[in-house]
Amino acid sequence: MDISSEDLTAVWLTIKLAVLVTAILLLIATPIAWWLAHTRHPLRGPVSALVALPLVLPPSVLGFYLLLTMGPHGLIGQLTQSLGLGTLPFTFAGLVVASVFYSLPFVVQPIQNALEALGERPREAAATLGAGPWDTFFHVILPLARPGFYTAAVLGFAHTIGEFGVVLMIGGNIPGVTQVISVQIYNHVEALEYGRAHTLAGGMVVFSFVVLLLLYGFRRDQGAKPLL
Amino acid sequence: MNTVTKQESAATQVQDDLRVRCHLQRPDFTLDVDLTLPGRGVSVLFGHSGSGKTTLLRYIAGLERANGTLLFKDQCWQDEQHFVPTFQRALAYVFQESSLFDHLTAAGNLQFAIKRARGKVDKEDFEQAIDLLGIHHTLKRYPHQLSGGERQRVAIARALLSKPRLLLMDEPLASLDERRKQEILPWLERLKTHLDVPIVYVTHSPAEVARLADYLVALKDGRVIASGTLNDTLTQINSPLQQGEEASVVLQGHIRERDRHWQLVRIGFAHPEHSQDDDGSIWISDPEVGNLPPDGSTASASDNTGSHADDLDQPVRVRILASDVSLSLSRHDDTSIVNALPCIVEAISDDEHHSLALVRVKVGETLLLSRMTRRSVMHLALTPGKTLWAQVKSAALV
């Protein structure tokens, strides 16, 4: 094994980022998924497309525009500056915000699919038994759609761990701040340190495989459809 | 109109019924209803698919939005200004296919209702609901481990345990096969007699109407075509409800006598509101014997020793098709029909086929329908007030 303290810092930073982003995403994506699953509003189509955009855009494009919006002259940048927070690019917070956008569709879509599969009936049944909307959400919808939420969390987590292009565009390569595993692997390869690159890259392969194995195994138990 | 003025409601004390006014316009469908349903017993909304009966029930529950007014007893559930959301209405709803929560066991589903019940549910209520529906053995199982009939019974128990003031049932038997239907129907009848909660019950099955209804509302294309107590609606001979083969009456009566040798029972019937004594009685096949399996010869032998004495004087319902009733001017003893009852002609009306007529006769206070050709009406010179004999060829306990 050939793992340095910088590598360990990168691993730790990556995990911290992924955990935080996954938590934020579950909070943001659930209401979005709920709205998309139940609304007949004309904005449903455009919002769906917007949420799915990171699926098709090259990460560098997403990163480029996030860099501009979060920069000193961008919309988010001006907001954070007026709040006395400075600007987000090249900070850990900036990385979190960017990752949230980047991984959003991977969290929204499984939740939305799960909610749509449930249909109206459980909500109606709960209402006729005297359960209010929040009560129904926490005691009926959430437990029934749990596989969807698991899938969403795992996908959001795994996808955030694997991100590279967006990080390079808005985070750069600051050890302990924005230098995540994928960037660190790139650094090793650039420096021709193939052995150290192997350690991290191989670890990522194993990690990703295990995550998917768990996910598909779990979903087969649930008798659900393929993932994506 | 069904708006209640203050003076009226003060005069008649508290309103004890369900007033439903509903107007719903869809591209292919209009529901336009103005009804008052009684605050007790079973009101059946009857009609074919597409008649709007389920939509109307969902509107009462607040699951379907439409313009209108909903007054339930002392509560206003909907008018121009207000809409009380479903979870704040003290009702329970049994859906066509059971809507148990899959992540909870049967017991968990019942607990869900108890926790949110509109009144205190004590252990006795719980036991009673479980006994009433015979679901003790299901409690630890998950919905997917139950049969369709068991799931539906758990769903009914769950509805009861939420302590509703109004119970809505949307074809609770429709998703079940004939055997399961027969398995649940007796539970529903027990419910009716043991419970002091009004039930609104949707069905397209005349058999369920005959068996359960106290009050009947017939819907067609989103409109009410007949409504009233079961006896009144079924004996309205000019109602569209009574056109065709299914024209019938349902009599409330009691098993008075049992002929074990010929496997017959004598049903005495009386007008439910008027007389204590029977208006008359008819002999029909003993349903207990008829239900025995064909190879149950030993069982029927033991039955003949009198194990059924206990159902004598039990209330029963008998459905008599108008086509099974014939009229004659004198009493005949030389016929295969044993049931001959003296009666008076009340009214005569044309059936949907022009050769046929529907005649309403009165036996004591009880009304029967008879279907015959118009030529026979002429031939017998039937006019209201004429006395003659009604011969009942067959009838079925429902």
Side-chain angles (χ1 to χ4, degrees):
Chain A
M1 284 299 271
D2 186 8
I3 188 151
S4 66
S5 68
E6 292 119 68
D7 288 350
L8 281 179
T9 309
V11 169
W12 172 237
L13 183 75
T14 308
I15 292 175
K16 202 167 79 174
L17 175 71
V19 168
L20 200 60
V21 167
T22 307
I24 294 173
L25 271 176
L26 285 175
L27 288 178
I28 295 177
T30 304
I32 296 176
W34 179 275
W35 185 78
L36 288 175
H38 296 126
T39 190
R40 288 180 199 147
H41 198 276
L43 278 179
R44 184 184 189 275
V47 171
S48 298
L50 212 58
V51 167
L53 215 48
L55 286 176
V56 289
L57 277 184
S60 51
V61 172
L62 192 68
F64 173 62
Y65 282 113
L66 281 171
L67 184 65
L68 289 189
T69 13
M70 301 201 305
H73 305 294
L75 210 65
I76 300 178
Q78 300 208 326
L79 180 75
T80 51
Q81 279 173 314
S82 70
L83 292 172
L85 300 172
T87 52
L88 290 174
F90 307 107
T91 64
F92 181 70
L95 215 54
V96 170
V97 172
S99 303
V100 164
F101 280 104
Y102 180 57
S103 297
L104 188 62
F106 291 85
V107 181
V108 169
Q109 289 189 351
I111 299 178
Q112 184 185 343
N113 290 343
L115 294 178
E116 281 172 357
L118 282 187
E120 305 282 307
R121 189 44 53 80
R123 281 200 296 155
E124 292 185 349
T128 62
L129 294 168
W134 288 105
D135 186 5
T136 302
F137 179 76
F138 283 109
H139 296 109
V140 177
I141 304 300
L142 207 54
L144 282 175
R146 190 176 299 160
F149 281 91
Y150 284 157
T151 306
V154 172
L155 282 182
F157 186 85
H159 192 246
T160 305
I161 282 201
E163 94 182 67
F164 175 70
V166 176
V167 179
L168 267 195
M169 291 301 281
I170 66 134
N173 203 346
I174 308 166
V177 181
T178 62
Q179 196 180 66
V180 295
I181 296 175
S182 58
V183 176
Q184 187 70 342
I185 294 172
Y186 181 71
N187 289 336
H188 289 323
V189 173
E190 287 282 276
L192 299 178
E193 298 165 333
Y194 281 20
R196 296 177 68 186
H198 258 316
T199 310
L200 287 177
M204 287 290 278
V205 171
V206 171
F207 167 78
S208 306
F209 180 76
V210 169
V211 164
L212 290 177
L213 193 67
L214 288 176
L215 204 56
Y216 279 107
F218 177 70
R219 288 181 66 88
R220 203 184 39 221
D221 290 345
Q222 301 283 326
K225 289 174 293 190
L227 210 53
L228 287 173
Chain B
M1 286 315 261
N2 58 8
T3 45
V4 195
T5 64
K6 286 222 168 71
Q7 300 90 309
E8 261 176 9
S9 59
T12 56
Q13 294 172 341
V14 186
Q15 290 302 326
D16 191 39
D17 48 19
L18 172 64
R19 284 144 192 253
V20 186
R21 204 145 47 89
C22 168
H23 184 81
L24 177 72
Q25 190 83 49
R26 293 232 178 104
D28 51 343
F29 176 72
T30 308
L31 182 65
D32 201 352
V33 166
D34 191 344
L35 268 178
T36 300
L37 300 177
R40 59 191 66 251
V42 178
S43 302
V44 169
L45 304 181
F46 172 79
H48 298 291
S49 61
S51 62
K53 54 194 191 304
T54 294
T55 310
L56 182 59
L57 196 73
R58 288 174 57 82
Y59 166 76
I60 296 173
L63 298 173
E64 204 79 47
R65 299 294 286 260
N67 294 324
T69 316
L70 258 176
L71 303 170
F72 177 65
K73 301 197 171 177
D74 52 342
Q75 298 171 347
C76 170
W77 284 351
Q78 180 178 340
D79 61 17
E80 282 81 23
Q81 287 90 40
H82 307 95
F83 178 82
V84 177
T86 302
F87 74 97
Q88 288 170 346
R89 303 181 183 191
L91 54 81
Y93 197 110
V94 178
F95 294 87
Q96 199 171 112
E97 68 290 348
S98 97
S99 50
L100 297 180
F101 301 128
D102 290 332
H103 65 294
L104 300 173
T105 58
N109 271 280
L110 300 181
Q111 284 300 333
F112 186 96
I114 293 171
K115 269 188 207 145
R116 294 158 181 83
R118 285 61 168 226
K120 182 107 183 63
V121 181
D122 50 35
K123 202 163 165 51
E124 204 176 309
D125 295 324
F126 185 72
E127 298 294 336
Q128 194 201 2
I130 288 172
D131 285 346
L132 197 62
L133 287 143
I135 52 168
H136 206 275
H137 63 290
T138 68
L139 290 181
K140 285 186 182 140
R141 295 195 224 149
Y142 283 90
H144 70 268
Q145 298 167 311
L146 303 176
S147 74
E150 287 168 334
R151 276 203 293 273
Q152 206 57 318
R153 267 149 60 194
V154 174
I156 294 169
R158 185 179 69 173
L160 296 182
L161 287 172
S162 78
K163 285 274 169 122
R165 293 183 65 202
L166 176 66
L167 181 56
L168 305 174
M169 305 181 102
D170 181 11
E171 306 213 36
L173 307 181
S175 59
L176 307 173
D177 59 35
E178 199 50 44
R179 244 186 69 205
R180 300 263 177 251
K181 274 183 201 172
Q182 296 309 326
E183 174 192 319
I184 293 194
L185 262 168
W187 302 113
L188 289 180
E189 278 171 327
R190 290 181 69 182
L191 232 149
K192 206 183 117 149
T193 45
H194 283 70
L195 220 66
D196 195 28
V197 175
I199 299 174
V200 182
Y201 186 103
V202 162
T203 186
H204 65 267
S205 149
E208 285 168 39
V209 171
R211 211 157 156 172
L212 296 171
D214 297 316
Y215 194 89
L216 180 62
V217 176
L219 287 159
K220 195 182 177 195
D221 301 329
R223 287 173 185 283
V224 175
I225 52 169
S227 80
T229 63
L230 183 65
N231 285 308
D232 290 351
T233 39
L234 290 186
T235 49
Q236 268 164 30
I237 48 178
N238 48 8
S239 134
L241 201 60
Q242 291 295 24
Q243 301 292 316
E245 296 296 323
E246 290 283 329
S248 62
V249 291
V250 175
L251 305 183
Q252 325 247 11
H254 299 87
I255 296 179
R256 295 301 190 201
E257 203 180 333
R258 174 170 260 118
D259 183 334
R260 295 195 189 287
H261 183 66
W262 298 110
Q263 304 186 341
L264 298 170
V265 285
R266 185 169 67 84
I267 310 288
F269 52 86
H271 191 284
E273 281 138 46
H274 292 143
S275 35
Q276 291 295 319
D277 301 323
D278 290 345
D279 285 330
S281 61
I282 52 174
W283 285 96
I284 64 172
S285 299
D286 190 339
E288 296 296 330
V289 179
N291 281 350
L292 286 175
D295 57 342
S297 47
T298 50
S300 81
S302 68
D303 270 359
N304 276 336
T305 59
S307 59
H308 293 306
D310 49 316
D311 73 353
L312 282 188
D313 292 328
Q314 286 293 306
V316 290
R317 286 182 165 200
V318 187
R319 183 167 180 231
I320 304 175
L321 290 169
S323 50
D324 285 335
V325 178
S326 62
L327 300 177
S328 81
L329 293 174
S330 57
R331 180 172 184 149
H332 293 277
D333 293 321
D334 53 350
T335 161
S336 64
I337 300 171
V338 290
N339 299 309
L341 303 157
C343 63
I344 302 170
V345 175
E346 267 225 335
I348 303 162
S349 137
D350 291 345
D351 204 346
E352 75 186 343
H353 192 282
H354 289 301
S355 68
L356 297 173
L358 210 51
V359 181
R360 184 172 67 204
V361 299
K362 225 175 168 179
V363 180
E365 289 296 317
T366 303
L367 297 171
L368 293 180
L369 295 183
S370 170
R371 199 137 144 275
M372 62 188 63
T373 62
R374 294 176 68 185
R375 188 166 69 184
S376 299
V377 173
M378 278 294 289
H379 183 68
L380 296 174
L382 294 185
T383 48
K386 192 173 179 90
T387 57
L388 61 172
W389 293 84
Q391 297 177 319
V392 181
K393 192 172 150 199
S394 78
L397 278 182
V398 292

